[in-house]
Amino acid sequence: MSELIVIGYEDHAVARKAFKAVQQLRDDHVVELNGLAVVRVDQDGETHVDTPAKTEEIALSATAGALWGLVFGMIVLTPGIGVVGAALGGLIGKLNQMGVDRGFRQKVSDLLAPGSAAVVIMASKITEDRFAAAMEPFGGTVLKTSLSEESERELSEQLTGEGPGAA
């Protein structure tokens, strides 16, 4: 099961510090990451994404990388899109079935107002108390949901076009 955690901040500098803290928590084995990004929305409403792959190497399988990219894109970058293609619509439907519902996506969208930032974390394993204690100094608004291993597998199959869940 993966935990999807989005922590919203009013200040990009604080989000960057929190991002670095999550990287340190990964190094300290407090959290195992499937994905990590800091998202900044400028004053014009344009979204900018920074991932560890841009700042350092992080070992992710191709499937985990594709899954992370899809989940991240569906939750953070497309919640306001009304008209989508059939394939993308099917994937959004799959996320809805997996518990990543419109309400959660809307809350994430609300966190990402112009001038704000968020740290987006997809973790396969997390020591909750140590993670919370390490992140507490940064404050922020925390949103969290879970993806089951079965849901991740189904989504991966749909992404790769393999297996019974493929479109």
Side-chain angles (χ1 to χ4, degrees):
M1 175 177 287
S2 287
E3 298 294 323
L4 186 60
I5 305 165
V6 180
I7 309 172
Y9 300 96
E10 293 182 15
D11 184 334
H12 180 245
V14 175
R16 288 292 303 168
K17 290 176 185 175
F19 175 84
K20 290 181 185 292
V22 173
Q23 290 175 313
Q24 184 60 52
L25 291 170
R26 178 202 60 215
D27 295 345
D28 294 342
H29 306 287
V30 173
V31 62
E32 289 180 18
L33 298 175
N34 290 341
L36 174 65
V38 64
V39 179
R40 175 179 56 88
V41 181
D42 64 25
Q43 293 301 329
D44 296 326
E46 187 174 329
T47 304
H48 305 273
V49 180
D50 191 10
T51 62
K54 293 181 181 178
T55 58
E56 68 177 59
E57 289 299 315
I58 185 170
L60 292 175
S61 71
T63 301
L67 178 64
W68 166 244
L70 175 71
V71 170
F72 177 76
M74 292 297 107
I75 291 171
V76 176
L77 301 178
T78 62
I81 295 176
V83 178
V84 294
L88 187 56
L91 292 172
I92 290 171
K94 179 62 75 176
L95 284 174
N96 286 339
Q97 292 172 9
M98 293 167 36
V100 183
D101 64 13
R102 182 178 300 205
F104 181 82
R105 292 193 316 261
Q106 185 60 51
K107 288 177 184 176
V108 172
S109 180
D110 292 346
L111 278 180
L112 294 171
S116 68
V119 177
V120 182
I121 304 152
M122 188 170 168
S124 56
K125 185 177 176 184
I126 188 167
T127 305
E128 296 276 349
D129 57 340
R130 291 181 61 197
F131 183 85
M135 299 307 292
E136 185 176 11
F138 303 104
T141 301
V142 179
L143 301 175
K144 183 176 167 184
T145 192
S146 298
L147 297 175
S148 70
E149 289 179 24
E150 180 180 337
S151 294
E152 289 179 59
R153 186 183 69 253
E154 287 176 14
L155 189 55
S156 294
E157 288 171 354
Q158 188 161 353
L159 275 172
T160 61
E162 300 172 2

